[in-house]
Amino acid sequence: MTELLERAPMIGVIIPAYRVEKHIARVVKNIPEFVHKIIVVNDASPDHTGKVLATMNDSRLIVVTHAENRGVGGAMISGYDRALEEGVDILVKMDGDDQMDPERIIDLVHPLIEKKADFTKGNRFLDQTQLETMPLIRRIGNWGLTFLLKAASGYWKIFDPTNGFTAMNEKVWEKVNQNQIACDYFFESSLLIELRSHQVVIQDVAISARYQDEESSLSIVKVLL
């Protein structure tokens, strides 16, 4: 693994931050040292997320602040663009709620470094034991969205399209038509459909989530419609 990282280009982690004051410091602190840049987009968060970030002392940390909330897609567009300005070669997306294990970043970037894929994404459905920890409503919603996304994009081999733990090389983002990217929680799905139009090679990586005690606000009927 050390040899792999020695051959790795510049890696940057982009984190959309909204109402994550309780988690964002821990998320940033736990990002591995091999990551060169950490770009957190404070998407006009009404809590103390901005103040927490201001107290952090990490030379890799770059904070992008939105005056108005743009949604997760809008935050990621800002974060990806800033990453390219910083010279980042591999763009990793993580959420700010500490449900993604930063130690698994290496698993996402591995296929990119080895040039076996252009885009990688976490898949919580590849491990039955880990799947059992996923709340039932999320499983049902994901199964439905997966089928619809397969039909819409033509990526029949991928699963878990709403998984936000992803990585891509910078050339992929340069191809993306940002006007086709949804600014709301359909960001991941719209991005995958856009990537298909450019014949981007996508690979699923088995990565579990760490669920907290929060209740999901997902409306299955609304989202599937």
Side-chain angles (χ1 to χ4, degrees):
M1 195 62 69
T2 300
E3 181 182 349
L4 175 70
L5 292 175
E6 289 177 350
R7 295 188 283 111
M10 183 181 290
I11 299 172
V13 171
I14 298 91
I15 304 171
Y18 186 77
R19 295 186 183 275
V20 289
E21 64 176 19
K22 296 180 180 179
H23 310 289
I24 191 62
R26 182 167 59 252
V27 171
V28 172
K29 289 178 180 177
N30 288 334
I31 292 177
E33 293 183 1
F34 65 78
V35 172
H36 301 85
K37 300 287 183 179
I38 303 171
I39 300 172
V40 179
V41 182
N42 179 6
D43 194 26
S45 186
D47 60 4
H48 294 112
T49 294
K51 292 182 179 179
V52 173
L53 290 168
T55 65
M56 298 201 67
N57 185 22
D58 190 319
S59 61
R60 303 173 297 170
L61 179 62
I62 298 170
V63 179
V64 176
T65 303
H66 287 173
E68 296 181 358
N69 181 266
R70 303 182 192 179
V72 62
M76 288 308 301
I77 289 173
S78 293
Y80 284 147
D81 286 347
R82 180 58 182 272
L84 263 60
E85 292 175 6
E86 296 291 330
V88 172
D89 301 299
I90 293 181
L91 316 173
V92 179
K93 176 188 177 291
M94 285 184 62
D95 290 337
D97 57 7
D98 201 32
Q99 290 189 5
M100 299 171 180
D101 184 357
E103 293 299 324
R104 303 303 299 277
I105 291 175
I106 188 63
D107 298 312
L108 282 176
V109 304
H110 190 173
L112 302 181
I113 297 173
E114 296 290 353
K115 300 187 183 304
K116 295 180 179 179
D118 305 308
F119 184 99
T120 56
K121 53 180 289 298
N123 185 340
R124 296 163 290 184
F125 291 79
L126 291 176
D127 187 323
Q128 182 61 36
T129 301
Q130 294 296 335
L131 178 59
E132 292 174 356
T133 68
M134 181 184 294
L136 178 61
I137 191 170
R138 299 194 190 204
R139 273 184 274 172
I140 294 173
N142 269 281
W143 286 327
L145 283 172
T146 291
F147 174 77
L148 293 175
L149 184 60
K150 285 175 181 287
S153 69
Y155 280 123
W156 289 100
K157 294 183 178 181
I158 67 169
F159 212 88
D160 200 7
T162 62
N163 194 313
F165 203 2
T166 65
M168 66 174 134
N169 66 53
E170 89 286 356
K171 293 181 180 179
V172 169
W173 182 246
E174 290 174 347
K175 295 177 182 178
V176 168
N177 179 356
Q178 296 183 7
N179 292 326
Q180 298 298 319
I181 305 301
C183 288
D184 57 13
Y185 48 75
F186 285 110
F187 164 71
E188 285 85 6
S189 300
S190 65
L191 178 58
L192 289 174
I193 293 173
E194 171 66 9
L195 296 184
R196 180 62 178 179
S197 68
H198 299 288
Q199 300 299 308
V200 172
V201 178
I202 296 180
Q203 180 175 320
D204 273 355
V205 178
I207 296 179
S208 59
R210 302 183 297 195
Y211 294 108
Q212 311 294 334
D213 296 328
E214 80 282 355
E215 295 183 5
S216 174
S217 59
L218 173 67
S219 168
I220 296 176
V221 175
K222 179 180 178 180
V223 170
L224 292 182
L225 285 175

